[in-house]
Amino acid sequence: MLRRAPPLKFVMVALLLAASCSSPDAAVEKGDFDVTGNATDWASLQRSGNPRDWLLAPPDLAPVPGTPDQAPPVFPVSAQRLADAWAAVVRAQPRAAIVAVSDDGLRIDAEQRSRLMGFVDRIAMRAVPVGDDRATLAVYSRAAIGYYDFGVNRRRVQSWLAELAERLEQAPTAPPSL
């Protein structure tokens, strides 16, 4: 009896999974995410160079100054309160976990896994004081593997930012101009 060949879709998915599992994690190789528990060092952060990440940051905090994808709003709260609210937003997300927090509590790294395949995305946040009881933030969200993210990281950052504003129950002011 002859065996029927598996459908082409199944073969393609299996090959994609095998390739993604065997390729090294470029983000970890570049050192922008320390899996040992230390929060991201924003001074040495480098973008992936692929369309699989999203950076919300003041221009002076971007890896190459002036290159964030989106400018962040300024919130009328302290940087510590902003970081605490961000941590609460992360904890409320499905399949997300905080994996590192800096000693001062103003830098928080998280991971979120995709629902179906369990692919890991990494999200680094830094709360930045901009005056008395005012703060902004920088967020870098990126896929650990692959080339495209199909807009997942952009949508995540924007969604979490909206949840952050709701959690703080205060509308942020307009972002600084780029």
Side-chain angles (χ1 to χ4, degrees):
M1 178 190 271
L2 292 173
R3 293 188 74 189
R4 190 172 162 199
L8 183 59
K9 285 182 190 177
F10 176 77
V11 172
M12 293 301 291
V13 169
L15 288 173
L16 284 172
L17 286 175
S20 67
C21 291
S22 63
S23 63
D25 183 346
V28 172
E29 281 182 357
K30 288 185 176 182
D32 70 345
F33 192 82
D34 185 344
V35 294
T36 62
N38 296 322
T40 297
D41 177 10
W42 282 81
S44 64
L45 183 123
Q46 294 179 7
R47 293 193 70 174
S48 69
N50 298 325
R52 66 174 186 193
D53 64 9
W54 188 261
L55 177 64
L56 170 123
D60 59 331
L61 277 184
V64 176
T67 62
D69 295 308
Q70 179 180 354
V74 175
F75 292 90
V77 298
S78 69
Q80 190 59 61
R81 183 165 175 221
L82 184 64
D84 292 344
W86 179 265
V89 167
V90 173
R91 287 186 192 104
Q93 303 306 311
R95 301 168 313 281
I98 293 174
V99 296
V101 179
S102 64
D103 290 338
D104 63 5
L106 298 181
R107 292 179 291 135
I108 300 171
D109 289 356
E111 288 184 345
Q112 186 173 38
R113 295 187 176 270
S114 66
R115 183 170 39 112
L116 294 177
M117 303 301 289
F119 294 129
V120 176
D121 286 349
R122 295 195 166 97
I123 306 98
M125 185 283 303
R126 177 179 172 189
V128 182
V130 292
D132 294 337
D133 291 325
R134 293 183 45 180
T136 190
L137 70 164
V139 179
Y140 184 42
S141 181
R142 67 263 189 217
I145 59 172
Y147 188 78
Y148 291 104
D149 73 345
F150 303 101
V152 169
N153 288 293
R154 175 185 54 82
R155 288 190 302 275
R156 173 187 299 112
V157 170
Q158 292 172 346
S159 171
W160 290 15
L161 197 57
E163 289 184 41
L164 179 66
E166 285 179 24
R167 190 167 293 274
L168 292 171
E169 295 182 6
Q170 298 176 2
T173 60
S177 61
L178 290 178

Short mmCIF file of all heavy atoms in Angstrom, two decimals, residues 109-173:
data_model
loop_
_atom_site.label_atom_id
_atom_site.label_comp_id
_atom_site.label_asym_id
_atom_site.label_seq_id
_atom_site.Cartn_x
_atom_site.Cartn_y
_atom_site.Cartn_z
N ASP A 109 11.90 44.38 31.93
CA ASP A 109 11.92 43.52 30.74
C ASP A 109 10.88 42.44 30.89
O ASP A 109 10.72 41.87 31.98
CB ASP A 109 13.29 42.89 30.54
CG ASP A 109 14.35 43.89 30.10
OD1 ASP A 109 14.01 45.06 29.86
OD2 ASP A 109 15.51 43.49 29.99
N ALA A 110 10.19 42.15 29.80
CA ALA A 110 9.15 41.13 29.82
C ALA A 110 9.24 40.27 28.57
O ALA A 110 9.91 40.64 27.60
CB ALA A 110 7.78 41.80 29.89
N GLU A 111 8.58 39.14 28.62
CA GLU A 111 8.43 38.26 27.46
C GLU A 111 6.94 37.97 27.32
O GLU A 111 6.22 37.86 28.31
CB GLU A 111 9.15 36.93 27.66
CG GLU A 111 10.63 37.01 27.60
CD GLU A 111 11.29 35.65 27.71
OE1 GLU A 111 10.63 34.66 28.11
OE2 GLU A 111 12.48 35.58 27.40
N GLN A 112 6.52 37.84 26.07
CA GLN A 112 5.17 37.39 25.80
C GLN A 112 5.24 36.35 24.70
O GLN A 112 5.95 36.53 23.72
CB GLN A 112 4.25 38.55 25.38
CG GLN A 112 2.80 38.12 25.24
CD GLN A 112 1.85 39.26 24.99
OE1 GLN A 112 2.17 40.19 24.28
NE2 GLN A 112 0.67 39.19 25.60
N ARG A 113 4.52 35.25 24.89
CA ARG A 113 4.53 34.16 23.92
C ARG A 113 3.26 34.22 23.07
O ARG A 113 2.20 34.56 23.57
CB ARG A 113 4.62 32.81 24.62
CG ARG A 113 5.94 32.66 25.35
CD ARG A 113 6.11 31.26 25.92
NE ARG A 113 7.42 31.16 26.52
CZ ARG A 113 8.51 30.76 25.87
NH1 ARG A 113 8.44 30.43 24.61
NH2 ARG A 113 9.67 30.69 26.49
N SER A 114 3.41 33.85 21.80
CA SER A 114 2.25 33.82 20.92
C SER A 114 1.32 32.69 21.34
O SER A 114 1.76 31.68 21.90
CB SER A 114 2.67 33.67 19.46
OG SER A 114 3.28 32.42 19.25
N ARG A 115 0.05 32.87 21.06
CA ARG A 115 -0.96 31.92 21.52
C ARG A 115 -0.81 30.55 20.87
O ARG A 115 -0.85 29.54 21.54
CB ARG A 115 -2.35 32.49 21.23
CG ARG A 115 -3.48 31.62 21.74
CD ARG A 115 -4.82 32.31 21.66
NE ARG A 115 -4.96 33.11 20.47
CZ ARG A 115 -5.79 32.85 19.47
NH1 ARG A 115 -6.55 31.79 19.53
NH2 ARG A 115 -5.85 33.62 18.42
N LEU A 116 -0.63 30.51 19.58
CA LEU A 116 -0.64 29.22 18.89
C LEU A 116 0.70 28.50 18.91
O LEU A 116 0.77 27.32 19.22
CB LEU A 116 -1.10 29.40 17.44
CG LEU A 116 -2.55 29.84 17.28
CD1 LEU A 116 -2.86 30.05 15.81
CD2 LEU A 116 -3.50 28.83 17.89
N MET A 117 1.76 29.18 18.57
CA MET A 117 3.05 28.52 18.40
C MET A 117 4.02 28.74 19.57
O MET A 117 5.06 28.12 19.63
CB MET A 117 3.72 28.98 17.10
CG MET A 117 2.87 28.75 15.86
SD MET A 117 2.43 27.02 15.61
CE MET A 117 3.99 26.37 15.13
N GLY A 118 3.69 29.66 20.46
CA GLY A 118 4.57 29.91 21.59
C GLY A 118 5.82 30.69 21.26
O GLY A 118 6.80 30.67 22.01
N PHE A 119 5.82 31.41 20.12
CA PHE A 119 6.99 32.22 19.76
C PHE A 119 7.17 33.33 20.79
O PHE A 119 6.20 33.93 21.26
CB PHE A 119 6.83 32.83 18.37
CG PHE A 119 6.83 31.82 17.27
CD1 PHE A 119 5.83 31.83 16.31
CD2 PHE A 119 7.81 30.84 17.18
CE1 PHE A 119 5.81 30.90 15.29
CE2 PHE A 119 7.81 29.91 16.16
CZ PHE A 119 6.81 29.93 15.21
N VAL A 120 8.39 33.64 21.13
CA VAL A 120 8.69 34.62 22.16
C VAL A 120 8.94 36.00 21.55
O VAL A 120 9.71 36.14 20.60
CB VAL A 120 9.94 34.19 22.96
CG1 VAL A 120 10.33 35.25 23.98
CG2 VAL A 120 9.70 32.85 23.64
N ASP A 121 8.28 36.99 22.14
CA ASP A 121 8.57 38.39 21.85
C ASP A 121 9.11 38.99 23.14
O ASP A 121 8.69 38.62 24.23
CB ASP A 121 7.32 39.16 21.42
CG ASP A 121 6.86 38.81 20.01
OD1 ASP A 121 7.63 38.14 19.29
OD2 ASP A 121 5.75 39.20 19.65
N ARG A 122 10.06 39.89 22.99
CA ARG A 122 10.70 40.52 24.16
C ARG A 122 10.34 41.99 24.18
O ARG A 122 10.38 42.66 23.14
CB ARG A 122 12.20 40.31 24.09
CG ARG A 122 12.52 38.82 24.21
CD ARG A 122 13.98 38.60 24.52
NE ARG A 122 14.18 37.24 24.94
CZ ARG A 122 14.58 36.26 24.13
NH1 ARG A 122 14.81 36.51 22.87
NH2 ARG A 122 14.76 35.05 24.59
N ILE A 123 10.02 42.47 25.37
CA ILE A 123 9.58 43.85 25.53
C ILE A 123 10.40 44.49 26.66
O ILE A 123 10.39 44.00 27.79
CB ILE A 123 8.08 43.93 25.89
CG1 ILE A 123 7.24 43.15 24.86
CG2 ILE A 123 7.63 45.38 25.96
CD1 ILE A 123 6.86 41.77 25.26
N ALA A 124 11.12 45.54 26.33
CA ALA A 124 11.91 46.26 27.33
C ALA A 124 11.28 47.64 27.51
O ALA A 124 10.92 48.30 26.54
CB ALA A 124 13.36 46.40 26.88
N MET A 125 11.15 48.08 28.77
CA MET A 125 10.59 49.39 29.07
C MET A 125 11.53 50.13 30.00
O MET A 125 12.14 49.54 30.90
CB MET A 125 9.22 49.24 29.75
CG MET A 125 8.48 50.56 30.00
SD MET A 125 8.99 51.60 31.39
CE MET A 125 8.84 50.55 32.78
N ARG A 126 11.63 51.43 29.78
CA ARG A 126 12.40 52.29 30.68
C ARG A 126 11.55 53.51 30.99
O ARG A 126 11.11 54.21 30.07
CB ARG A 126 13.70 52.72 30.02
CG ARG A 126 14.51 53.67 30.88
CD ARG A 126 15.80 54.07 30.21
NE ARG A 126 16.46 55.12 30.97
CZ ARG A 126 17.51 55.79 30.56
NH1 ARG A 126 18.04 55.51 29.38
NH2 ARG A 126 18.04 56.73 31.30
N ALA A 127 11.29 53.76 32.26
CA ALA A 127 10.58 54.96 32.69
C ALA A 127 11.59 56.08 32.84
O ALA A 127 12.67 55.88 33.42
CB ALA A 127 9.85 54.71 34.01
N VAL A 128 11.27 57.24 32.30
CA VAL A 128 12.20 58.36 32.26
C VAL A 128 11.57 59.60 32.90
O VAL A 128 10.57 60.11 32.39
CB VAL A 128 12.60 58.70 30.81
CG1 VAL A 128 13.60 59.82 30.76
CG2 VAL A 128 13.10 57.46 30.09
N PRO A 129 12.13 60.08 34.02
CA PRO A 129 11.60 61.31 34.60
C PRO A 129 11.88 62.51 33.69
O PRO A 129 12.95 62.60 33.10
CB PRO A 129 12.35 61.45 35.93
CG PRO A 129 13.48 60.48 35.88
CD PRO A 129 13.24 59.53 34.76
N VAL A 130 10.90 63.39 33.56
CA VAL A 130 11.09 64.60 32.73
C VAL A 130 10.73 65.87 33.50
O VAL A 130 10.47 66.89 32.90
CB VAL A 130 10.27 64.53 31.41
CG1 VAL A 130 10.83 63.47 30.50
CG2 VAL A 130 8.80 64.34 31.66
N GLY A 131 10.73 65.79 34.81
CA GLY A 131 10.42 66.94 35.64
C GLY A 131 9.73 66.47 36.90
O GLY A 131 9.58 65.27 37.14
N ASP A 132 9.30 67.42 37.71
CA ASP A 132 8.59 67.08 38.93
C ASP A 132 7.26 66.40 38.60
O ASP A 132 6.42 66.97 37.92
CB ASP A 132 8.33 68.33 39.77
CG ASP A 132 9.62 68.94 40.30
OD1 ASP A 132 10.62 68.19 40.39
OD2 ASP A 132 9.64 70.15 40.60
N ASP A 133 7.12 65.17 39.08
CA ASP A 133 5.90 64.40 38.88
C ASP A 133 5.45 64.32 37.42
O ASP A 133 4.26 64.39 37.11
CB ASP A 133 4.77 64.95 39.75
CG ASP A 133 5.04 64.69 41.22
OD1 ASP A 133 5.62 63.63 41.53
OD2 ASP A 133 4.69 65.53 42.05
N ARG A 134 6.41 64.19 36.54
CA ARG A 134 6.14 63.95 35.11
C ARG A 134 7.15 62.94 34.62
O ARG A 134 8.31 62.96 35.00
CB ARG A 134 6.26 65.24 34.31
CG ARG A 134 5.19 66.26 34.64
CD ARG A 134 5.29 67.46 33.78
NE ARG A 134 5.49 67.01 32.40
CZ ARG A 134 5.63 67.79 31.37
NH1 ARG A 134 5.58 69.07 31.50
NH2 ARG A 134 5.81 67.32 30.16
N ALA A 135 6.67 62.05 33.77
CA ALA A 135 7.57 61.01 33.25
C ALA A 135 7.10 60.56 31.88
O ALA A 135 5.93 60.69 31.53
CB ALA A 135 7.62 59.82 34.21
N THR A 136 8.03 60.05 31.13
CA THR A 136 7.74 59.42 29.85
C THR A 136 8.37 58.04 29.87
O THR A 136 8.92 57.63 30.90
CB THR A 136 8.25 60.28 28.67
OG1 THR A 136 7.73 59.75 27.45
CG2 THR A 136 9.77 60.35 28.62
N LEU A 137 8.32 57.34 28.78
CA LEU A 137 8.89 56.00 28.76
C LEU A 137 9.44 55.67 27.38
O LEU A 137 9.12 56.32 26.39
CB LEU A 137 7.86 54.96 29.18
CG LEU A 137 6.70 54.64 28.24
CD1 LEU A 137 6.05 53.33 28.66
CD2 LEU A 137 5.67 55.72 28.22
N ALA A 138 10.29 54.68 27.38
CA ALA A 138 10.80 54.10 26.14
C ALA A 138 10.42 52.63 26.19
O ALA A 138 10.54 51.99 27.24
CB ALA A 138 12.31 54.26 26.06
N VAL A 139 9.93 52.10 25.07
CA VAL A 139 9.53 50.70 24.99
C VAL A 139 10.09 50.13 23.70
O VAL A 139 9.91 50.70 22.63
CB VAL A 139 8.00 50.53 25.00
CG1 VAL A 139 7.61 49.06 24.89
CG2 VAL A 139 7.38 51.16 26.24
N TYR A 140 10.78 49.01 23.81
CA TYR A 140 11.30 48.31 22.63
C TYR A 140 10.72 46.90 22.64
O TYR A 140 11.01 46.10 23.52
CB TYR A 140 12.84 48.27 22.67
CG TYR A 140 13.46 47.64 21.45
CD1 TYR A 140 13.00 47.90 20.17
CD2 TYR A 140 14.54 46.78 21.59
CE1 TYR A 140 13.59 47.34 19.05
CE2 TYR A 140 15.15 46.21 20.48
CZ TYR A 140 14.67 46.49 19.21
OH TYR A 140 15.25 45.92 18.10
N SER A 141 9.87 46.60 21.67
CA SER A 141 9.23 45.31 21.55
C SER A 141 9.72 44.65 20.28
O SER A 141 9.70 45.25 19.21
CB SER A 141 7.71 45.49 21.52
OG SER A 141 7.04 44.25 21.44
N ARG A 142 10.17 43.39 20.39
CA ARG A 142 10.73 42.72 19.22
C ARG A 142 10.52 41.22 19.29
O ARG A 142 10.47 40.62 20.37
CB ARG A 142 12.20 43.03 19.04
CG ARG A 142 13.12 42.47 20.11
CD ARG A 142 13.39 43.51 21.13
NE ARG A 142 14.42 43.16 22.08
CZ ARG A 142 14.34 43.50 23.34
NH1 ARG A 142 13.28 44.12 23.81
NH2 ARG A 142 15.32 43.22 24.16
N ALA A 143 10.40 40.64 18.09
CA ALA A 143 10.30 39.20 17.98
C ALA A 143 11.69 38.60 18.15
O ALA A 143 12.67 39.13 17.65
CB ALA A 143 9.73 38.82 16.61
N ALA A 144 11.77 37.50 18.88
CA ALA A 144 13.06 36.87 19.12
C ALA A 144 13.57 36.15 17.88
O ALA A 144 14.78 36.02 17.69
CB ALA A 144 12.96 35.90 20.29
N ILE A 145 12.66 35.66 17.04
CA ILE A 145 13.07 34.95 15.84
C ILE A 145 12.25 35.44 14.65
O ILE A 145 11.22 36.08 14.82
CB ILE A 145 12.89 33.42 15.99
CG1 ILE A 145 11.44 33.08 16.28
CG2 ILE A 145 13.83 32.86 17.02
CD1 ILE A 145 11.15 31.60 16.25
N GLY A 146 12.73 35.14 13.49
CA GLY A 146 12.01 35.50 12.28
C GLY A 146 12.45 36.82 11.71
O GLY A 146 13.30 37.52 12.28
N TYR A 147 11.87 37.18 10.59
CA TYR A 147 12.23 38.42 9.91
C TYR A 147 11.10 39.44 10.01
O TYR A 147 11.34 40.59 10.31
CB TYR A 147 12.57 38.13 8.45
CG TYR A 147 13.12 39.33 7.73
CD1 TYR A 147 14.44 39.72 7.92
CD2 TYR A 147 12.33 40.08 6.88
CE1 TYR A 147 14.96 40.83 7.28
CE2 TYR A 147 12.84 41.20 6.23
CZ TYR A 147 14.16 41.57 6.43
OH TYR A 147 14.66 42.67 5.80
N TYR A 148 9.86 39.01 9.77
CA TYR A 148 8.70 39.90 9.87
C TYR A 148 7.92 39.56 11.12
O TYR A 148 7.91 38.43 11.58
CB TYR A 148 7.77 39.71 8.66
CG TYR A 148 8.35 40.20 7.37
CD1 TYR A 148 8.85 39.32 6.43
CD2 TYR A 148 8.39 41.56 7.09
CE1 TYR A 148 9.38 39.77 5.24
CE2 TYR A 148 8.92 42.01 5.90
CZ TYR A 148 9.41 41.12 4.97
OH TYR A 148 9.94 41.56 3.80
N ASP A 149 7.20 40.57 11.64
CA ASP A 149 6.31 40.30 12.77
C ASP A 149 4.86 40.64 12.42
O ASP A 149 3.99 40.51 13.26
CB ASP A 149 6.76 41.08 14.00
CG ASP A 149 6.47 42.57 13.90
OD1 ASP A 149 6.19 43.06 12.79
OD2 ASP A 149 6.51 43.24 14.94
N PHE A 150 4.61 41.07 11.18
CA PHE A 150 3.27 41.38 10.70
C PHE A 150 2.57 42.43 11.57
O PHE A 150 1.36 42.40 11.74
CB PHE A 150 2.43 40.11 10.58
CG PHE A 150 3.07 39.08 9.69
CD1 PHE A 150 3.76 38.01 10.23
CD2 PHE A 150 3.03 39.21 8.31
CE1 PHE A 150 4.37 37.06 9.41
CE2 PHE A 150 3.64 38.27 7.49
CZ PHE A 150 4.32 37.20 8.04
N GLY A 151 3.35 43.35 12.15
CA GLY A 151 2.80 44.45 12.94
C GLY A 151 2.44 44.11 14.37
O GLY A 151 1.88 44.93 15.08
N VAL A 152 2.79 42.91 14.81
CA VAL A 152 2.43 42.47 16.17
C VAL A 152 3.06 43.39 17.22
O VAL A 152 2.40 43.80 18.17
CB VAL A 152 2.85 41.01 16.40
CG1 VAL A 152 2.75 40.62 17.87
CG2 VAL A 152 2.01 40.08 15.54
N ASN A 153 4.33 43.72 17.07
CA ASN A 153 5.00 44.52 18.09
C ASN A 153 4.47 45.95 18.14
O ASN A 153 4.29 46.51 19.22
CB ASN A 153 6.51 44.49 17.87
CG ASN A 153 7.07 43.14 18.25
OD1 ASN A 153 7.06 42.77 19.42
ND2 ASN A 153 7.52 42.37 17.28
N ARG A 154 4.17 46.53 17.00
CA ARG A 154 3.58 47.89 16.96
C ARG A 154 2.23 47.86 17.68
O ARG A 154 1.96 48.70 18.55
CB ARG A 154 3.41 48.37 15.53
CG ARG A 154 2.68 49.72 15.44
CD ARG A 154 2.40 50.14 13.99
NE ARG A 154 1.69 49.13 13.23
CZ ARG A 154 0.36 48.94 13.26
NH1 ARG A 154 -0.39 49.68 14.04
NH2 ARG A 154 -0.20 48.01 12.52
N ARG A 155 1.39 46.89 17.34
CA ARG A 155 0.06 46.81 17.97
C ARG A 155 0.18 46.56 19.47
O ARG A 155 -0.59 47.11 20.26
CB ARG A 155 -0.78 45.73 17.30
CG ARG A 155 -1.24 46.13 15.90
CD ARG A 155 -2.27 45.17 15.33
NE ARG A 155 -1.81 43.79 15.24
CZ ARG A 155 -1.12 43.28 14.23
NH1 ARG A 155 -0.77 44.06 13.21
NH2 ARG A 155 -0.76 42.01 14.22
N ARG A 156 1.14 45.73 19.88
CA ARG A 156 1.33 45.46 21.31
C ARG A 156 1.69 46.75 22.05
O ARG A 156 1.08 47.08 23.07
CB ARG A 156 2.41 44.42 21.56
CG ARG A 156 2.73 44.25 23.06
CD ARG A 156 3.90 43.36 23.36
NE ARG A 156 3.66 42.03 22.86
CZ ARG A 156 4.34 41.47 21.85
NH1 ARG A 156 5.30 42.14 21.24
NH2 ARG A 156 4.06 40.26 21.45
N VAL A 157 2.69 47.47 21.55
CA VAL A 157 3.13 48.69 22.23
C VAL A 157 1.97 49.68 22.32
O VAL A 157 1.73 50.27 23.38
CB VAL A 157 4.35 49.31 21.52
CG1 VAL A 157 4.65 50.69 22.06
CG2 VAL A 157 5.57 48.40 21.66
N GLN A 158 1.24 49.87 21.25
CA GLN A 158 0.14 50.83 21.27
C GLN A 158 -0.99 50.38 22.20
O GLN A 158 -1.56 51.20 22.92
CB GLN A 158 -0.35 51.08 19.84
CG GLN A 158 0.70 51.82 19.03
CD GLN A 158 0.38 51.93 17.55
OE1 GLN A 158 -0.50 51.25 17.02
NE2 GLN A 158 1.11 52.79 16.87
N SER A 159 -1.27 49.09 22.22
CA SER A 159 -2.30 48.57 23.11
C SER A 159 -1.89 48.70 24.57
O SER A 159 -2.68 49.14 25.42
CB SER A 159 -2.57 47.10 22.76
OG SER A 159 -3.40 46.51 23.73
N TRP A 160 -0.67 48.31 24.89
CA TRP A 160 -0.20 48.41 26.27
C TRP A 160 -0.11 49.87 26.71
O TRP A 160 -0.38 50.18 27.86
CB TRP A 160 1.15 47.71 26.44
CG TRP A 160 1.09 46.21 26.35
CD1 TRP A 160 0.06 45.44 25.86
CD2 TRP A 160 2.10 45.29 26.74
NE1 TRP A 160 0.38 44.12 25.93
CE2 TRP A 160 1.63 43.99 26.46
CE3 TRP A 160 3.37 45.44 27.27
CZ2 TRP A 160 2.37 42.85 26.73
CZ3 TRP A 160 4.13 44.30 27.54
CH2 TRP A 160 3.63 43.01 27.28
N LEU A 161 0.23 50.76 25.79
CA LEU A 161 0.29 52.19 26.11
C LEU A 161 -1.11 52.70 26.46
O LEU A 161 -1.27 53.48 27.42
CB LEU A 161 0.87 52.94 24.91
CG LEU A 161 1.38 54.35 25.13
CD1 LEU A 161 2.46 54.39 26.20
CD2 LEU A 161 1.93 54.89 23.83
N ALA A 162 -2.13 52.28 25.71
CA ALA A 162 -3.51 52.67 26.00
C ALA A 162 -3.93 52.12 27.37
O ALA A 162 -4.58 52.83 28.16
CB ALA A 162 -4.44 52.18 24.91
N GLU A 163 -3.58 50.88 27.66
CA GLU A 163 -3.90 50.29 28.96
C GLU A 163 -3.17 51.02 30.09
O GLU A 163 -3.71 51.18 31.18
CB GLU A 163 -3.57 48.81 28.99
CG GLU A 163 -4.51 47.98 28.14
CD GLU A 163 -4.24 46.49 28.24
OE1 GLU A 163 -3.97 46.00 29.36
OE2 GLU A 163 -4.31 45.81 27.20
N LEU A 164 -1.95 51.45 29.82
CA LEU A 164 -1.19 52.20 30.82
C LEU A 164 -1.90 53.51 31.14
O LEU A 164 -2.06 53.86 32.31
CB LEU A 164 0.23 52.47 30.29
CG LEU A 164 1.16 53.26 31.19
CD1 LEU A 164 1.48 52.48 32.46
CD2 LEU A 164 2.44 53.61 30.44
N ALA A 165 -2.34 54.23 30.13
CA ALA A 165 -3.05 55.49 30.34
C ALA A 165 -4.34 55.26 31.13
O ALA A 165 -4.66 56.02 32.05
CB ALA A 165 -3.35 56.16 29.00
N GLU A 166 -5.06 54.19 30.81
CA GLU A 166 -6.28 53.86 31.56
C GLU A 166 -5.96 53.53 33.01
O GLU A 166 -6.65 53.95 33.92
CB GLU A 166 -6.99 52.67 30.92
CG GLU A 166 -7.72 52.99 29.65
CD GLU A 166 -8.39 51.76 29.06
OE1 GLU A 166 -8.68 50.80 29.82
OE2 GLU A 166 -8.61 51.76 27.84
N ARG A 167 -4.90 52.75 33.21
CA ARG A 167 -4.52 52.36 34.56
C ARG A 167 -4.14 53.58 35.40
O ARG A 167 -4.43 53.63 36.59
CB ARG A 167 -3.36 51.37 34.51
CG ARG A 167 -3.06 50.72 35.84
CD ARG A 167 -2.14 49.55 35.69
NE ARG A 167 -2.74 48.44 34.97
CZ ARG A 167 -3.49 47.48 35.54
NH1 ARG A 167 -3.72 47.52 36.82
NH2 ARG A 167 -3.96 46.50 34.82
N LEU A 168 -3.49 54.53 34.78
CA LEU A 168 -3.11 55.75 35.50
C LEU A 168 -4.28 56.71 35.63
O LEU A 168 -4.20 57.69 36.36
CB LEU A 168 -1.93 56.43 34.79
CG LEU A 168 -0.62 55.66 34.85
CD1 LEU A 168 0.42 56.30 33.94
CD2 LEU A 168 -0.11 55.59 36.28
N GLU A 169 -5.36 56.43 34.88
CA GLU A 169 -6.58 57.22 34.88
C GLU A 169 -6.33 58.69 34.61
O GLU A 169 -7.02 59.57 35.09
CB GLU A 169 -7.32 57.06 36.20
CG GLU A 169 -7.83 55.66 36.44
CD GLU A 169 -8.58 55.53 37.73
OE1 GLU A 169 -8.81 56.54 38.42
OE2 GLU A 169 -8.94 54.40 38.06
N GLN A 170 -5.31 58.95 33.84
CA GLN A 170 -5.01 60.33 33.46
C GLN A 170 -4.56 60.31 32.02
O GLN A 170 -3.77 59.46 31.61
CB GLN A 170 -3.90 60.90 34.34
CG GLN A 170 -4.29 60.95 35.80
CD GLN A 170 -3.13 61.42 36.66
OE1 GLN A 170 -2.07 61.75 36.17
NE2 GLN A 170 -3.36 61.46 37.95
N ALA A 171 -5.05 61.24 31.27
CA ALA A 171 -4.65 61.32 29.87
C ALA A 171 -3.24 61.89 29.81
O ALA A 171 -2.93 62.89 30.45
CB ALA A 171 -5.59 62.22 29.10
N PRO A 172 -2.38 61.25 29.04
CA PRO A 172 -1.01 61.78 28.87
C PRO A 172 -1.04 63.03 28.02
O PRO A 172 -1.98 63.28 27.28
CB PRO A 172 -0.28 60.65 28.18
CG PRO A 172 -1.34 59.91 27.45
CD PRO A 172 -2.59 60.02 28.28
N THR A 173 -0.01 63.83 28.15
CA THR A 173 0.12 64.99 27.27
C THR A 173 0.71 64.54 25.94
O THR A 173 1.17 63.43 25.81
CB THR A 173 1.01 66.07 27.92
OG1 THR A 173 2.30 65.51 28.14
CG2 THR A 173 0.43 66.56 29.23
#
